[in-house]
């Protein structure tokens, strides 16, 4: 038995942000935006440290709609791609070669091109309303 890690790219998300700024400027602008009721978060690390996030969207149309709304309110916002991936782990078991081949052929015959040896199961989230005060 062995543990295998597979990195699968997922479609990029569309991220509406105020570009990174010096920390004091970003904090001041974040407070101003939140005082106006704008749902916004400060990016704490990474290449966009001190940017202000206004949302990640699967739909490009939704992201563009938020972008236009914030630009109309004179916010300096941009739309960037947020690359992401899914890391999957699998336990690989050794099986007798003939038996494994027969099973794989039987499954492929039943499921055709939709057959995948890997079962993907998402981890349960930890930041849920029930788990936070």
């Amino acid at each position: 038995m062995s543990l295998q890690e597979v990195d699968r790219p997922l479609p990029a998300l569309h991220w509406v942000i105020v570009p990174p700024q010096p920390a004091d400027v970003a904090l001041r602008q974040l407070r101003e935006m939140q005082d106006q009721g704008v749902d916004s978060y400060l990016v704490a690390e990474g290449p966009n440290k001190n940017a202000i996030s206004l949302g990640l969207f699967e739909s490009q149309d939704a992201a563009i709609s938020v972008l236009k709304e914030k630009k109309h309110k004179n916010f300096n916002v941009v739309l960037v791609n947020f690359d992401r991936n899914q890391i999957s782990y699998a336990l690989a078991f050794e099986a007798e070669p003939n038996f494994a081949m027969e099973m794989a052929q039987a499954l492929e015959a039943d499921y055709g091109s939709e057959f995948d040896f890997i079962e993907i199961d998402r981890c349960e989230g930890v930041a849920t309303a029930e788990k936070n005060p």
Side-chain angles (χ1 to χ4, degrees), residues 6 33 39:
V6 178
M33 293 174 96
D39 193 14

Side-chain angles (χ1 to χ4, degrees), residues 57-76:
F57 302 88
E58 287 184 5
S59 162
Q60 185 175 19
D61 291 340
I64 290 172
S65 174
V66 170
L67 181 77
K68 287 180 180 177
E69 173 194 338
K70 301 308 181 199
K71 282 189 177 217
H72 182 71
K73 293 181 178 182
N74 294 321
F75 291 124
N76 175 30

Side-chain angles (χ1 to χ4, degrees), residues 54-124:
L54 300 173
L56 283 167
F57 302 88
E58 287 184 5
S59 162
Q60 185 175 19
D61 291 340
I64 290 172
S65 174
V66 170
L67 181 77
K68 287 180 180 177
E69 173 194 338
K70 301 308 181 199
K71 282 189 177 217
H72 182 71
K73 293 181 178 182
N74 294 321
F75 291 124
N76 175 30
V77 294
V78 295
L79 181 61
V80 297
N81 282 338
F82 184 82
D83 293 326
R84 62 192 182 130
N85 61 8
Q86 177 182 32
I87 299 174
S88 301
Y89 298 92
L91 291 176
F93 296 92
E94 291 182 29
E96 187 178 312
N98 291 338
F99 177 72
M101 184 59 74
E102 289 173 16
M103 290 299 293
Q105 288 172 346
L107 289 169
E108 191 172 19
D110 287 344
Y111 295 102
S113 64
E114 294 182 21
F115 176 71
D116 191 351
F117 278 101
I118 299 172
E119 179 180 330
I120 297 175
D121 216 3
R122 296 189 184 274
C123 295
E124 179 183 333

